[in-house]
Amino acid sequence: MTKTVLITGGAGFIGHRVTNHLLDLGYTPRLFDNLYRPDDKASDLMADPRVEFVQGDVRHLHRIDEAMDGVSDVIHLAATNINKSQVDTTEGFEVNLMGSENTFRSAVRHGVRRIVFASSASVYGEPESLPMDENSPRNPVTPYCISKDASERLLEFYAQKYDIEWNALRFFNVYGPGQNIDAYYTSVIQVFIKRIIDGEAPMIDGDGSQTMDFVHVDDIARSLVLALESDQQGHICNIGTGTETSVADLARILLKALGSDLEPQFSPRDVLVTRRRADWSKAKEILGWEPTILVEDGIAELAKGLADEYRAGISA
C-alpha cells in the first residue's frame, strides 16, 4: 500500500528534492506550501500526477488539518529564514514556532506515525568548542534560531505526551542549485559568483576567517528520507560534513572554479557566528547517513552552473 507523506514547505529549495527521493521509493508526496518562495522546479513537480499539492500556510491550523488527512508521516520543512525573522519578528515566530505547533498538533490528531523535523545548527549559536555535537550548549541568537530550538523542545513534548515517533535534523550550511539569494549563511556563494562574473572582486565581511560547514542540498534531502525510514526514532542528529570552510577560502574556490585572477577584498563588519564544524557521527550511527559530496567539488560545480545561467540571462 502506497504511503502518503506530507511535506510542509514542499515546494521549496529542499522540499522538491525530498519529493524526488520519495517518488523514487514509491511514496506519494503531498506538498503543503503557500508558494511564497517556490523552487524553480516546483511547478514541474506539482504537474506530476504522482504528487499531491495543497496550497496553504502553516499558520492556519484548519488548512494543515485538511492536508494532514490520510497521511502516514510528516516532513516539516516550512519556515521563514534568518534574515526575514529579524526584519519581522512576529511573522518569524508565527511561521516557525506556531507553524510547528500547528503541524505537530495536527499530526497527533490524525494519528500520523512519524514526524521528521528540519531544525538548524543555528540553535548552538557561537560554539564553545569544535566540532559541535548534539550535546553542545545551545545559545540561539536570532528569532529564527530561537524558534528552531523551541520547536525541537515542542516536538519532544508532543512525543512524550502522545507517544508519536519523531526525528529532528540540525542542518548546517545548506547550499546547492536553486537556492534563494536571501539565505543568510549561504547567499554569499551566489553574491560572490555574480561579482566575479561582473569582473568585481568578492567583498568579504570581516577578515574572512569566519567559517561555515557547507552541506549539499542533495545530501540534506537524503538525510530526511533516512530519518523517515530509520528503525530508530526519538533522535536529534547533526547534518553537516565536518569540514570547515572559511569565507576567504570560499572566495578562492569560486575564483578558481570561474578562472578568475581577482583577489578578494575585505570590509569591517560583525558576524553572527564565527565558526561552524559538525560532528555528524550520530547521523551515521542512527540513520546510516554520511555526506557524499565534497565541499570543494559541490561549490565548484554550483559556481559553474550559476555562472552559465547568469551569462545566459545577460545575453538574452
Side-chain angles (χ1 to χ4, degrees):
M1 182 176 177
T2 301
K3 293 182 178 180
T4 300
V5 179
L6 180 67
I7 310 169
T8 70
F13 171 56
I14 297 174
H16 102 258
R17 289 166 173 82
V18 175
T19 300
N20 285 328
H21 278 278
L22 292 175
L23 287 171
D24 289 343
L25 293 170
Y27 289 93
T28 297
R30 182 180 295 170
L31 314 187
F32 182 81
D33 203 294
N34 62 8
L35 298 182
Y36 173 68
R37 294 191 308 167
D39 186 88
D40 290 341
K41 298 181 180 178
S43 57
D44 293 337
L45 273 183
M46 289 184 285
D48 190 319
R50 300 172 298 169
V51 176
E52 300 175 1
F53 175 69
V54 178
Q55 185 166 354
D57 193 300
V58 290
R59 289 173 288 187
H60 304 145
L61 179 59
H62 72 283
R63 294 295 291 152
I64 297 180
D65 274 334
E66 292 169 6
M68 197 73 68
D69 188 42
V71 306
S72 59
D73 304 274
V74 176
I75 297 176
H76 180 39
L77 302 175
T80 61
N81 61 29
I82 290 180
N83 282 348
K84 201 165 191 301
S85 77
Q86 293 184 92
V87 172
D88 189 339
T89 305
T90 299
E91 182 184 37
F93 282 117
E94 287 177 347
V95 174
N96 295 355
L97 183 53
M98 289 310 300
S100 292
E101 154 69 11
N102 288 339
T103 301
F104 303 159
R105 183 194 304 182
S106 182
V108 168
R109 282 180 180 176
H110 288 81
V112 164
R113 179 189 71 100
R114 177 174 295 184
I115 299 169
V116 177
F117 173 55
S119 188
S120 169
S122 65
V123 301
Y124 298 120
E126 183 67 16
E128 295 182 5
S129 62
L130 294 174
M132 303 148 79
D133 66 25
E134 292 80 4
N135 293 317
S136 294
R138 290 189 274 185
N139 184 31
V141 295
T142 70
Y144 172 89
C145 314
I146 294 166
S147 64
K148 287 292 186 181
D149 183 42
S151 292
E152 284 186 15
R153 298 173 193 267
L154 188 62
L155 180 55
E156 290 178 297
F157 163 77
Y158 271 102
Q160 291 169 5
K161 186 173 178 64
Y162 299 104
D163 195 29
I164 190 170
E165 293 186 10
W166 65 282
N167 282 312
L169 306 178
R170 290 176 181 161
F171 299 152
F172 278 67
N173 304 112
V174 186
Y175 75 99
Q179 188 170 30
N180 286 296
I181 199 165
D182 59 355
Y184 181 84
Y185 287 108
T186 43
S187 63
V188 63
I189 297 175
Q190 290 92 325
V191 172
F192 281 2
I193 290 170
K194 184 178 183 301
R195 287 183 64 88
I196 293 167
I197 293 171
D198 288 340
E200 302 173 355
M203 186 63 67
I204 296 174
D205 294 337
D207 62 5
S209 63
Q210 64 270 30
T211 65
M212 301 183 204
D213 186 331
F214 290 106
V215 55
H216 197 279
V217 65
D218 288 341
D219 281 335
I220 289 288
R222 197 164 43 81
S223 73
L224 287 160
V225 175
L226 287 169
L228 178 72
E229 294 200 314
S230 174
D231 291 337
Q232 300 200 53
Q233 64 87 27
H235 294 281
I236 297 173
C237 297
N238 286 339
I239 303 296
T241 65
T243 299
E244 266 190 287
T245 303
S246 72
V247 177
D249 285 341
L250 170 66
R252 295 185 182 98
I253 291 170
L254 295 174
L255 288 164
K256 180 181 178 182
L258 297 176
S260 173
D261 58 2
L262 292 167
E263 289 292 331
Q265 303 296 311
F266 300 87
S267 64
R269 184 179 169 185
D270 291 335
V271 295
L272 287 178
V273 176
T274 60
R275 298 184 72 183
R276 280 275 181 264
R277 178 158 62 94
D279 177 343
W280 50 270
S281 58
K282 185 177 178 182
K284 184 173 184 179
E285 175 189 352
I286 299 297
L287 308 178
W289 178 90
E290 56 186 303
T292 62
I293 300 173
L294 296 175
V295 176
E296 189 158 347
D297 292 344
I299 289 176
E301 181 180 359
L302 174 63
K304 292 171 184 176
L306 288 176
D308 289 344
E309 291 177 14
Y310 182 64
R311 290 180 180 121
I314 293 175
S315 63

